[in-house]
Amino acid sequence: MQKLTDTIVKALPLPATGNKIAYDADVKGFGVRVTAAGARAFILNYRTRTGRERRYTIGAFPDWKTGVARAQAAELKKRIDVGFDPMAEVDADRAAKTVADLCDRFEEDHLGSKREATARDYKALIRREIRPALKHRRVDEVEFSDIDALHRKITRRGAPYLANRTVAVLSKMFALAMKWRWRTDNPAKGIERNQEAKRHRYLSPAEISSLTGALAALEDQQAANIFRLLLLTGARRGEVQAARWADLDLTTGVWTKPGSTTKQKTTHRVPLSAPARQLLAALLAEAEEGAEFVFPGRSDGHRVEIKNAWRDVCIAAGIVTTTTEKDGRGRERIVVTPSARIHDLRHTYASVLASAGLSLPIIGALLGHSQPATTARYSHLLDDPLRQATERVGAIVMPTGEGAEIKPMKVGVT
């Protein structure tokens, strides 16, 4: 054993396999580890106060010079003698929770109690946006600037609403991280969100007619029937796709939606119209014996993916928006996308009810709203039947008839 120097360390031979340690003569436990690949690093072997043998890596040669590494080893030995364990800090750092760990626990503990559609959307957002950007970061090291930068990056990509949803999910995740004592604050708080315009899209009578014709010609008739039932019931997409025959009474024409499938987590009992009952009866006649779901999937469970079918039927019905964009070579191309979402079928159902003069409480009851304010978005649609009603009164009080002269009413004090 000899006192290590830079020259000696540099000249140490490589082992055939694995690694070999050459120890220093001056500081006990201090040495240099040489690997078969040629890497050299200074180490310190020591015992904790409980007698546990440990090995701490000081740093790589030649980034660390031998004299500096020896001085560091001597200083560490003094601290070890009074109870310090340098490897404990390394172990704690390795065990520190990462954002990937937070994503895993969030999906397991939090999303498990959410509706299937909600959990699916959250997991997709986490997989596509949050994990790629932050998965290797320690939870306690993520800063406001990190989340703000991710929000701005997604916004610049042309997805401002998705950017807002990403921040919302991160905010919930870090709120739970505080609850789990993984950190003491929420770095997603205070991010300036993108403005979102309230969107209330309803299909016009002409669009409904075009959609009906396109549904009849759609190759995927299972998806077509899902769209038909959405339009006939105003139910949410997830409720229709997960509908079970056991919850449908076609004799009385009642659909009892279990609380596990509704947004409000409460049982929702709604009547079915004659066309809806007729559609369901036809599906039941074609269903396999003992079938659980109205719209079964290809394997187990129910049908999930219908976005491609919705795109096809919207294009066929002419319910589209046409834009021009440039490809990677700068060439312009025309992009055709649906101008209505699947959820707009629910809005359309409500708009038809409102335009027919049904009251907001009735509409809210059919839609399963728990808050009147949610139904109030359709209040302006009540103007048409109200205007028709007041015009009737006007026609009786002041009938003009063809060629009649309208005279101003005289107002005076008698």
Side-chain angles (χ1 to χ4, degrees), residues 99 137-144 146-147 174 183 187:
V99 173
R137 297 294 301 275
R138 279 175 38 173
V139 171
D140 59 359
E141 289 182 344
V142 177
E143 299 180 355
F144 174 94
D146 297 318
I147 298 177
F174 281 106
R183 67 177 292 147

Side-chain angles (χ1 to χ4, degrees), residues 54-163:
R54 311 207 71 177
R55 177 173 294 162
Y56 177 75
T57 300
I58 295 172
F61 176 87
D63 296 334
W64 281 71
K65 299 302 181 182
T66 307
V68 177
R70 181 185 291 107
Q72 176 70 6
E75 179 63 26
L76 284 171
K77 285 178 66 67
K78 292 179 183 179
R79 297 176 64 190
I80 290 167
D81 288 341
V82 295
F84 174 67
D85 184 357
M87 280 303 297
E89 288 189 347
V90 175
D91 291 343
D93 187 68
R94 287 173 179 170
K97 302 298 184 181
T98 65
V99 173
D101 297 323
L102 180 58
C103 291
D104 291 340
R105 183 164 181 184
F106 179 78
E107 291 180 8
E108 181 178 350
D109 292 0
H110 182 68
L111 295 186
S113 61
K114 297 297 180 182
R115 292 187 304 128
E116 183 179 350
T118 300
R120 183 175 63 249
D121 291 344
Y122 274 42
K123 288 179 181 179
L125 187 149
I126 290 170
R127 182 179 67 255
R128 296 170 183 168
E129 307 296 340
I130 295 176
R131 285 186 186 270
L134 301 170
K135 63 181 178 181
H136 296 304
R137 297 294 301 275
R138 279 175 38 173
V139 171
D140 59 359
E141 289 182 344
V142 177
E143 299 180 355
F144 174 94
S145 58
D146 297 318
I147 298 177
D148 185 52
L150 178 59
H151 180 260
R152 287 186 282 107
K153 178 182 178 181
I154 299 173
T155 301
R156 288 195 299 270
R157 206 171 70 207
Y161 293 178
L162 176 62

Side-chain angles (χ1 to χ4, degrees), residues 203 205-225 227-228 231 308-320 345:
L203 299 185
E207 287 177 323
I208 294 174
S209 178
S210 296
L211 179 66
T212 301
L215 288 174
L218 186 65
E219 182 178 355
D220 186 351
Q221 277 300 296
Q222 186 188 59
N225 287 326
F227 300 141
R228 291 185 181 104
L231 193 54
N308 291 336
W310 177 249
R311 182 179 185 277
D312 291 343
V313 78
C314 282
I315 291 175
I319 306 173
V320 296
L345 296 178

Side-chain angles (χ1 to χ4, degrees), residues 9 32 35 43 78 87 93 100 114 118 120 151 164 178 197-198 202 233 247 260 298 305 322 344-345 351 399 406:
V9 170
V32 60
T35 70
I43 57 92
K78 292 179 183 179
M87 280 303 297
D93 187 68
K114 297 297 180 182
T118 300
R120 183 175 63 249
H151 180 260
N164 288 352
M178 294 170 61
K198 294 294 183 181
Y202 319 105
T233 63
D247 301 326
S260 59
R298 291 183 177 179
E305 183 54 55
T322 303
D344 292 332
L345 296 178
S351 72
I406 300 178

Side-chain angles (χ1 to χ4, degrees), residues 127-391:
R127 182 179 67 255
R128 296 170 183 168
E129 307 296 340
I130 295 176
R131 285 186 186 270
L134 301 170
K135 63 181 178 181
H136 296 304
R137 297 294 301 275
R138 279 175 38 173
V139 171
D140 59 359
E141 289 182 344
V142 177
E143 299 180 355
F144 174 94
S145 58
D146 297 318
I147 298 177
D148 185 52
L150 178 59
H151 180 260
R152 287 186 282 107
K153 178 182 178 181
I154 299 173
T155 301
R156 288 195 299 270
R157 206 171 70 207
Y161 293 178
L162 176 62
N164 288 352
R165 299 293 88 71
T166 301
V167 171
V169 172
L170 280 167
S171 182
K172 181 60 180 179
M173 290 172 62
F174 281 106
L176 289 172
M178 294 170 61
K179 180 180 178 181
W180 299 330
R181 299 186 178 181
W182 289 10
R183 67 177 292 147
T184 58
D185 63 336
N186 190 335
K189 289 292 185 183
I191 302 292
E192 185 176 353
R193 312 289 178 90
N194 299 311
Q195 289 189 347
E196 297 189 27
K198 294 294 183 181
R199 186 179 184 281
H200 303 307
R201 171 75 160 92
Y202 319 105
L203 299 185
S204 67
E207 287 177 323
I208 294 174
S209 178
S210 296
L211 179 66
T212 301
L215 288 174
L218 186 65
E219 182 178 355
D220 186 351
Q221 277 300 296
Q222 186 188 59
N225 287 326
I226 291 175
F227 300 141
R228 291 185 181 104
L229 197 58
L230 285 168
L231 193 54
L232 288 169
T233 63
R236 296 179 178 87
R237 169 182 167 178
E239 295 170 348
V240 169
Q241 289 180 248
R244 288 176 165 85
W245 289 116
D247 301 326
L248 294 161
D249 187 339
L250 301 186
T251 302
T252 59
V254 174
W255 180 9
T256 304
K257 305 174 189 175
S260 59
T261 66
T262 64
K263 189 175 182 179
Q264 289 73 24
K265 299 296 183 183
T266 58
T267 301
H268 182 209
R269 189 173 182 272
V270 291
L272 296 168
S273 65
R277 293 164 67 180
Q278 184 177 4
L279 171 62
L280 289 167
L283 293 175
L284 181 59
E286 298 176 358
E288 294 183 4
E289 185 176 355
E292 178 182 5
F293 294 101
V294 177
F295 301 106
R298 291 183 177 179
S299 55
D300 294 332
H302 58 77
R303 176 77 179 264
V304 175
E305 183 54 55
I306 55 175
K307 289 183 179 179
N308 291 336
W310 177 249
R311 182 179 185 277
D312 291 343
V313 78
C314 282
I315 291 175
I319 306 173
V320 296
T321 298
T322 303
T323 57
T324 302
E325 66 177 31
K326 293 184 178 180
D327 60 18
R329 298 181 179 180
R331 296 175 300 186
E332 290 189 347
R333 64 188 184 110
I334 297 175
V335 179
V336 179
T337 56
S339 63
R341 303 172 303 173
I342 297 174
H343 192 70
D344 292 332
L345 296 178
R346 177 174 168 85
H347 294 165
T348 301
Y349 174 85
S351 72
V352 172
L353 293 174
S355 297
L358 276 298
S359 67
L360 292 182
I362 292 293
I363 297 173
L366 288 170
L367 294 177
H369 289 163
S370 58
Q371 299 295 330
T374 307
T375 317
R377 73 181 69 176
Y378 306 107
S379 59
H380 70 283
L381 295 171
L382 295 172
D383 291 346
D384 289 341
L386 291 176
R387 182 173 291 107
Q388 292 174 9
T390 195
E391 289 291 354

